[in-house]
Each structure stands twice: as C-alpha cells, then as structure tokens.
Amino acid sequence: MAPKGLDYEHLNENVKKVQYAVRGELYLRASELQKEGKKIIFTNVGNPHALGQKPLTFPRQVVALCQAPFLLDDPNVGLMFPADAIARAKHYLSLTSGGLGAYSDSRGIPGVRKEVADFLLRRDGYPSDPELIFLTDGASKGVMQILNTIIRGPNDGILVPVPQYPLYSAAISLFGGTLVPYYLEETANWGLDVNDLRNAVSQAQFKGITVRAMVIINPGNPTGQCLSEANLSEILRFCYQEGLVLLGDEVYQQNIYQDERPFISSKKVLMDMGPPYSKEVQLVSFHTVSKGYWGECGQRGGYFEMTNIPPKSVDEIYKVASIALSPNVPAQIFMGLMVNPLKPGDVSYEQFIRESKGILESLRKRARIMTDGFNSCRNVVCNFTEGAMYSFPQIRLPPKAIEAAKSAGKVPDVFYCLKLLEATGISTVPGSGFGQKEGVFHLRTTILPAEEDMPAIMESFKKFNDGFMEQYEDTRGYSRM
Ligand code: DCS
C-alpha cells in the first residue's frame, strides 16, 4: 500500500525530535497511578489554580460580564456585581469589535495593547509603542512565533540557559535550529557568567553555527534566581557586541520572594544604558497572565514587546500572526486587567489587594519551607527560590543508585523521581528534562501546594529520600557537587 501522510515513518523529523519533560514520563506515570486511585500531588507543572489557588475576584467578575453582556441590561446587575466591575466590563466591550465572540486584530485589541504600553511606561519609566506589542495565547505562543521567525536552519544557534524551561529546547528543535547552552552556576546561586557566554559562542562558531539570539529567563525557571541590574547590563552589552537579539522571558516578574534583588526588566536596563545600546540592541520581552498572583494558566493570555526591531521584520511577524487570525479575546481582557489593575479608592480595591497580597505572601513562606525542607535531607542541597515558582534541589545520588538506575534502563534522576512518585505520590520533573551538568542530578517541584499541606509533603519527601539514601549509600562517594 502507498504510504500515507501521517504514517509515523514519514513525519517531520523535527516533530519526532521534540522532547518536553514537564509532561513527560513522570507525568504519564503519575496520571496512571491517579487512575488506579493513588493520591497524587502534582508539583510538576506551574499551574497554581490546579493546586487550589483561588482566582482573583475582580477580573473574573469583569470577564463574566463581558462573556454574558445581557447581564449588563439586567436591572439587578448592580446587586450582583460591584460598580467598578460593571464599568470595566463596559470599557472592554467598547474596545472590542463585537464582543468576546468576535476575532480581534491579529496583534490583539488596540485598546488593550495601549493598556500594556501604559503599564510598561509606569513600570520602566520609558514610553512604549502599542504597535510593537503583540498579544498572544500565553507567552508560549509568542516565544514560538519569535523563534520561528529567527531560525532558518540547523546553523542558526540560540543561546539558552542550562538548566532551562524546556519550551526553549522543544521549540528550537521543532523549528530545526540548534540550542547553544550556557551553564548557570549552581554554587553561585545559579548566577550567569558573561565569560561563559563568550566561550559558548566561540565553541558554536567552531562547529559552523552562528548564534543569532540569546534567551534569559528572569526570574529563572527552574532555578529561581533573579538577575541583578549589573548582570543584565553585561548581558545586553554582550548582545550588542555579538549582534544577538535578546529574548527576555519575564513571565515570573511578580513572583519575587526576597528584597535584595527586586525584578528589573531588560527593557529598563537597556534604556538606562543609553545609546548606542538603547538604540541598537534588539530585544523581545514576554509576559503572561499564567503566573504571578494571577495564575490564570487556563486563560492563555500573554504579550511580547519588541524594541529596536526593524519595521519590515515587525511586518513579517504580524503577517505570520495573521495566519492564526486572532489571539483569544477573553484572555486579552485578562491581560488588560492585569496591566491596568484597580486603583486606591475603587470599590473593589481593598479586596483585590487583600487577595493578591495573600497569595504572594503565602508563596514567599512556601518558598522558604521548601528550601529549608530540602536542605534538611540527606545528600540534598538546594538554593533558595528567589523568584518564580519552583524549587530545584540537587540530589547527590550514590553510585549504587546510579548503577541500579542503569540496570533498570532509566536515567538516574528519572529513576529517583519515579521511586519518589511511587512511594509518596509527589509528582516532580527530573533535572535531566531541563539540562544539567554531566553527572549532577536534580529534580524540580513547584512551590505551589497549599501552605498548610507543605510541612506534611516535605516530611513525606524526607522520609522517602533518607530511606532511599540509606538503601543505596556506600562509602565510595557520590555524584559530584
Ligand atoms: N516561560 C517560562 C519561563 C515558563 O515557565 C512558562 C510556563 C512559560 C513561558 C509559558 O507560559 P504561558 O504560555 O502559560 O504564558 N511554565 C511551565 C512550567 O514550567 N510549568 O508549568 C508551565
């Protein structure tokens, strides 16, 4: 019989090459165990509402009204919804061309893009052009769109931090480019050394690869570090010298759990540097409604802002965005609400602040409980989660455990995480899914389980880990730090 278009052997090889650990082997096994009736704690995905985080009331009221505009004509609407939610719903409906059921411009609703631009001006102190802001279905779609635009083939390299969030490795292989790793230094709190970047670029050149873009994730996923202003300006200077476009993944900018290094955007640092940098360095930065105290992952709302990108390239990006017609319109409203929050004096302001502060303060406590919990375990060392939503402890696996993993046909950290899952129901992602130095092992968990459940989860982890180490330890040493 003649081969058919979707026969496996004939598929796009780039599709087959893609790996995405966050929903990989561990996740599949956890789903199986759940079906068999085991209680699973899903800490593999940064999906706050799935772990019980309540949505903020005000944005849901506004979007509910936008979804059901007939409620606005109900004489009792004022009994069901606060006045500011009603006013805001009317505002957003007036920005659409036919409500939530109509496609918007492929770059997103102009009025919402204006709200994003106003937010960026307030945040960074520099004007932002709504024409250079595109709304997307989550940050993921924006990242993919930009990588797709850059990558021409295997000789195009993208500098990506290792450990990294596998959206980058997966999208780069999907588009047929080459990931050029730069290693974050665990012993320096996952810091970034610009000399390593230079080495990474020269090594790539040696293999015939031209590095064209650099990714930073700030705050880091899975590593949780916040980049300092000095570090960011070194990175931007490096991009200037090498002619790289900087992709600034800043989706965790609200998730900060220490006061020494508050979030500072790449855009602000770039503008502060002045010319020639501020006029020359190409920057695309990404944000989302999925993270922060919003955690509205299921809504799929995001944006990217382009700085110093030539108009003809912007037109090409617009053209490609047009193929998908329009980003989700309800998600665009969430984005508008996120960047244009309530102000003191608004009827719902107090409640909004109470809810958002409550979430962030609790996350800060959970970050601390987790780091301390991991550091109290045998052969486990863990940097503090300065930002984002994850803890990324290093597990120093004894040689016997590594041998046992090999005979089970598993990568050592996958072996450890599977055993952890079977014993405790805690579903994590092995460090190998994010990249790590040879012979060093990690796992990633989110810091998202409810605060009151956290002590019991850490206790159960400790009991498993210390038992595992007891079983496999001998006197010959460990996987190295
Ligand atoms: N960038 C980073 C660094 C992320 O961690 C994520 C999601 C995204 C972009 C994409 O988010 P949205 O498409 O929802 O805007 N993080 C995943 C993770 O590591 N666990 O859960 C989701």
Side-chain angles (χ1 to χ4, degrees), residues 45-46 138-140 165 217 221 249 252 288 290-291 300 390 444:
V45 187
S140 310
Y165 169 49
I217 307 176
N221 174 9
D249 184 328
Y252 296 105
T288 184
S290 301
K291 310 296 170 186
R300 313 305 301 127
Y390 311 96
R444 188 192 81 168

Side-chain angles (χ1 to χ4, degrees), residues 347-398:
V347 190
S348 306
Y349 179 76
E350 298 290 332
Q351 183 185 12
F352 182 80
I353 294 296
R354 203 168 49 247
E355 291 174 353
S356 51
K357 255 193 164 171
I359 293 167
L360 275 188
E361 277 166 12
S362 169
L363 283 172
R364 192 184 262 245
K365 282 190 227 147
R366 286 180 261 172
R368 180 44 73 195
I369 298 172
M370 269 216 154
T371 310
D372 291 348
F374 283 130
N375 281 321
S376 77
C377 294
R378 195 154 152 181
N379 299 341
V380 178
V381 280
C382 186
N383 282 323
F384 177 60
T385 302
E386 296 177 346
M389 289 184 173
Y390 311 96
S391 189
F392 196 61
Q394 183 184 143
I395 315 291
R396 303 169 81 180
L397 293 176

Side-chain angles (χ1 to χ4, degrees), residues 225-277:
Q225 82 287 12
C226 297
L227 294 177
S228 67
E229 184 173 355
N231 220 185
L232 281 165
S233 60
E234 274 182 315
I235 291 166
L236 286 159
R237 210 165 294 129
F238 170 76
C239 289
Y240 172 77
Q241 286 157 357
E242 301 287 337
L244 308 183
V245 50
L246 184 67
L247 307 186
D249 184 328
E250 301 179 337
V251 299
Y252 296 105
Q253 59 189 274
Q254 284 178 346
N255 297 94
I256 306 291
Y257 312 119
Q258 39 73 43
D259 302 318
E260 296 76 44
R261 256 194 304 287
F263 170 75
I264 176 160
S265 72
S266 321
K267 167 91 179 291
K268 175 169 167 48
V269 176
L270 178 60
M271 291 299 122
D272 284 351
M273 285 165 80
Y277 308 100

Side-chain angles (χ1 to χ4, degrees), residues 292-418:
Y293 46 82
W294 291 70
E296 293 275 9
C297 298
Q299 312 290 355
R300 313 305 301 127
Y303 75 75
F304 58 84
E305 183 199 23
M306 296 171 277
T307 307
N308 297 326
I309 310 297
K312 279 175 85 173
S313 304
V314 174
D315 288 347
E316 291 299 304
I317 295 166
Y318 185 15
K319 181 182 74 184
V320 172
S322 313
I323 302 173
L325 295 162
S326 156
N328 291 321
V329 176
Q332 297 183 45
I333 312 277
F334 273 99
M335 181 53 85
L337 286 156
M338 185 176 93
V339 295
N340 186 12
L342 289 161
K343 296 184 183 55
D346 291 339
V347 190
S348 306
Y349 179 76
E350 298 290 332
Q351 183 185 12
F352 182 80
I353 294 296
R354 203 168 49 247
E355 291 174 353
S356 51
K357 255 193 164 171
I359 293 167
L360 275 188
E361 277 166 12
S362 169
L363 283 172
R364 192 184 262 245
K365 282 190 227 147
R366 286 180 261 172
R368 180 44 73 195
I369 298 172
M370 269 216 154
T371 310
D372 291 348
F374 283 130
N375 281 321
S376 77
C377 294
R378 195 154 152 181
N379 299 341
V380 178
V381 280
C382 186
N383 282 323
F384 177 60
T385 302
E386 296 177 346
M389 289 184 173
Y390 311 96
S391 189
F392 196 61
Q394 183 184 143
I395 315 291
R396 303 169 81 180
L397 293 176
K400 265 196 194 162
I402 297 174
E403 278 161 29
K406 278 197 188 124
S407 21
K410 301 280 177 207
V411 175
D413 55 4
V414 174
F415 178 76
Y416 176 92
C417 291
L418 279 170

